[in-house]
Amino acid sequence: MRVESKEQWHVAAYNQQEINGLIGCPKRISDPPKREMRQSGAFLRNDMKLVASDDTEGQFSVFMRKSGDFPENFSIGLIYHPADSRGEITLVRCNGQHGEYNGGPGDPSDPHWHYHVHQAQEVALDAGERAEKYAVKTDAYASFEEAVQYFLKTVNLDEKESRIHFPTKVQSILFE
Amino acid sequence: MDLLENLKTDFNRHVSFREKRPGIVQVLAPLFHEDGDMIDIFLDLPQSPAEPIRISDHGLTLMRLSYGYDVDTPTKHRILARILAENRVSEEGGRFFVETTPERVYPALLQFAQTVAKVSNMQAFKREVVHSLFYETLGDFVQSTLAAYQPGEHYLPIADRDDLEVDWRFATEPRNIFLYGVRDSSKARLAALACREFQLRNVPFRSVIVHDDFENGLSKKDQARITNAADKQFTSLGDFQANAERYFAREVQAIN
């Protein structure tokens, strides 16, 4: 049996410039989300697929999950599925207050309990770790609904499509 | 409470607790997922001494798994059920739990954490991961089962075209067999282009294409391109593994 080194698996699959470009490139919806989140076991879920509006190849999938027992525990994430054989990568995850998070690559010294955003980092890939291991605390949102709006802006989803599929409470009232 | 104090002692003080809801305590132990998030473990405290202590994930393990992997086929359900059964963990409405006594909480909790980690690693069965082993599996098969046909890797039939490399060349005479593994569209186009060029240059060969997934892995246009360029195709690795020996024997017989 051949055992691959971690370098062979990870290094140079994505560099930081590519990662940032994939997160920030303009996107539109190719497979829309459900109007409402649906129950799946003990959690609520919604999903959608995106494609880039520029010349970026491949597809993106978005997952939205919220715990049924503890609604403050949620995650909204963007996964990139490349057209080539590099393998998919989780680019961003906006998390709720699920429990402790234990620092970035090689840094076990910063456990915290706050809302936080995982973002793919080349340094994590180079270390053979999960791309999105590195996370930072955020005060950009304080609920699932706010996190969705923050996420849509972060991944640069078309504003019109964002308003149609994820209206804020104010927008919902205005358009009722 | 004695229960939590005892657990702290068992964990050599490397644990703390947070009241998540009345009667539900989250265990903050140094047990983490690969992305740095803590493994979700809760103690549902008994209402009376006669009741068991329930160690539960409150459904968060399957929620995490669903970010990129769904347990949505009978095979996946069977694997999940087996992991749970082997570790004596129960499931109810998507929530994993074990019920135990105060004396057994520590080992039960470690066993529970291990089970959560195993279920979380079910994503290793993901099609993409299996897919990424395609070339390795194909190479192993070629070098073992087809060794009699003297396979050589990375062959260049045209000296001045080092961009047109053959994955595997079999030294059958008078015509070699050139084999390409094809996992995606870009490889399909490269293989089609190479076969066309070899034909134009009158290289004596027969081309064999082994697809990872011909039906779902290639666009209609790429399916047409490779079909027009190749002499023989196997639509999946399983198809090739099942029929390759017979095919090579017939092919060599026909060549000679």
Side-chain angles (χ1 to χ4, degrees):
Chain A
M1 184 178 139
R2 281 175 292 185
V3 178
E4 307 283 340
S5 70
K6 68 183 181 185
E7 285 77 14
Q8 284 170 293
W9 280 103
H10 296 285
V11 166
Y14 297 89
N15 63 41
Q16 197 59 48
Q17 195 179 352
E18 283 176 300
I19 290 168
N20 296 342
L22 288 168
I23 294 169
C25 69
K27 300 177 184 70
R28 58 184 173 77
I29 294 174
S30 58
D31 187 6
K34 301 275 189 297
R35 283 177 63 88
E36 302 287 338
M37 296 185 86
R38 62 186 173 85
Q39 189 82 35
S40 175
F43 61 91
L44 296 167
R45 69 180 293 165
N46 208 344
D47 300 87
M48 64 176 168
K49 289 196 167 61
L50 312 178
V51 290
S53 314
D54 60 13
D55 58 357
T56 303
E57 291 191 331
Q59 281 192 56
F60 301 86
S61 58
V62 173
F63 62 83
M64 290 160 267
R65 303 286 185 269
K66 185 159 72 167
S67 164
D69 292 359
F70 311 126
E72 71 276 17
N73 188 330
F74 60 79
S75 192
I76 305 159
L78 177 72
I79 300 173
Y80 175 60
H81 310 271
D84 55 37
S85 56
R86 282 182 296 176
E88 68 180 36
I89 178 174
T90 300
L91 296 167
V92 183
R93 266 175 48 210
C94 297
N95 277 16
Q97 293 174 306
H98 57 71
E100 288 201 350
Y101 162 74
N102 194 25
D107 177 16
S109 62
D110 185 29
H112 67 75
W113 185 267
H114 302 275
Y115 294 101
H116 60 275
V117 180
H118 289 260
Q119 187 168 321
Q121 300 286 344
E122 183 183 354
V123 66
L125 288 172
D126 280 349
E129 296 177 305
R130 287 277 291 270
E132 78 280 21
K133 179 163 186 180
Y134 185 70
V136 290
K137 293 180 202 174
T138 184
D139 55 7
Y141 54 82
S143 67
F144 176 80
E145 289 71 23
E146 286 183 5
V148 169
Q149 298 301 324
Y150 172 81
F151 173 83
L152 297 174
K153 283 192 176 65
T154 301
V155 305
N156 202 4
L157 181 65
D158 178 80
E159 279 187 30
K160 190 177 167 192
E161 291 194 324
S162 290
R163 279 198 304 274
I164 292 170
H165 293 284
F166 303 98
T168 60
K169 279 183 181 167
V170 175
Q171 285 166 344
S172 297
I173 293 164
L174 284 175
F175 291 107
E176 261 177 9
Chain B
M1 173 184 269
D2 283 350
L3 169 70
L4 302 185
E5 266 310 308
N6 290 344
L7 256 182
K8 275 190 178 178
T9 305
D10 289 334
F11 270 100
N12 202 17
R13 318 305 289 180
H14 290 283
V15 70
S16 60
F17 306 98
R18 179 175 291 238
E19 186 180 41
K20 189 71 174 171
R21 296 288 189 274
I24 302 175
V25 171
Q26 183 161 11
V27 180
L28 306 179
L31 302 164
F32 293 92
H33 291 286
E34 288 88 345
D35 64 0
D37 287 342
M38 186 172 278
I39 290 180
D40 300 291
I41 304 174
F42 303 89
L43 299 176
D44 294 358
L45 303 175
Q47 302 293 318
S48 71
E51 291 178 22
I53 297 159
R54 178 175 282 208
I55 301 169
S56 172
D57 74 336
H58 279 268
L60 296 173
T61 307
L62 287 179
M63 183 172 109
R64 268 185 79 87
L65 186 63
S66 79
Y67 298 167
Y69 183 89
D70 282 311
V71 183
D72 55 0
T73 67
T75 303
K76 291 176 183 176
H77 279 291
R78 269 200 305 278
I79 293 168
L80 173 61
R82 185 172 173 177
I83 293 171
L84 296 179
E86 286 177 350
N87 290 277
R88 297 186 175 189
V89 171
S90 303
E91 184 266 339
E92 201 173 77
R95 297 166 183 85
F96 300 157
F97 66 93
V98 290
E99 291 185 332
T100 189
T101 59
E103 299 74 34
R104 299 282 304 161
V105 167
Y106 178 65
L109 198 147
L110 292 184
Q111 181 74 20
F112 187 77
Q114 191 175 328
T115 310
V116 168
K118 283 177 184 169
V119 172
S120 300
N121 281 335
M122 278 182 72
Q123 58 187 325
F125 301 126
K126 215 169 167 174
R127 166 149 182 76
E128 192 192 342
V129 177
V130 176
H131 180 69
S132 74
L133 296 174
F134 169 72
Y135 291 116
E136 190 174 332
T137 311
L138 175 62
D140 288 345
F141 180 79
V142 162
Q143 288 173 297
S144 55
T145 308
L146 302 176
Y149 300 99
Q150 302 167 57
E153 205 173 358
H154 306 307
Y155 178 64
L156 293 174
I158 305 172
D160 61 344
R161 290 295 303 270
D162 62 2
D163 57 323
L164 300 179
E165 189 178 85
V166 175
D167 288 357
W168 294 95
R169 172 229 188 189
F170 297 88
T172 47
E173 294 296 343
R175 283 183 310 190
N176 289 176
I177 292 174
F178 293 170
L179 184 147
Y180 285 95
V182 168
R183 197 176 73 174
D184 51 35
S185 287
S186 58
K187 184 64 185 294
R189 289 173 203 165
L190 178 67
L193 177 84
C195 289
R196 288 287 197 204
E197 189 62 22
F198 299 153
Q199 289 160 13
L200 287 173
R201 300 279 196 110
N202 295 317
V203 175
F205 77 105
R206 290 275 293 167
S207 57
V208 174
I209 310 294
V210 180
H211 292 278
D212 182 24
D213 185 351
F214 181 78
E215 286 298 323
N216 304 308
L218 299 179
S219 68
K220 291 288 176 205
K221 281 184 180 174
D222 287 320
Q223 288 179 1
R225 280 189 194 105
I226 193 73
T227 300
N228 291 335
D231 295 315
K232 171 69 181 172
Q233 296 184 84
F234 292 90
T235 57
S236 69
L237 184 55
D239 182 26
F240 180 64
Q241 287 169 322
N243 298 298
E245 283 181 278
R246 249 193 325 273
Y247 171 77
F248 269 68
R250 279 196 295 115
E251 191 62 26
V252 167
Q253 213 170 28
I255 289 170
N256 295 314

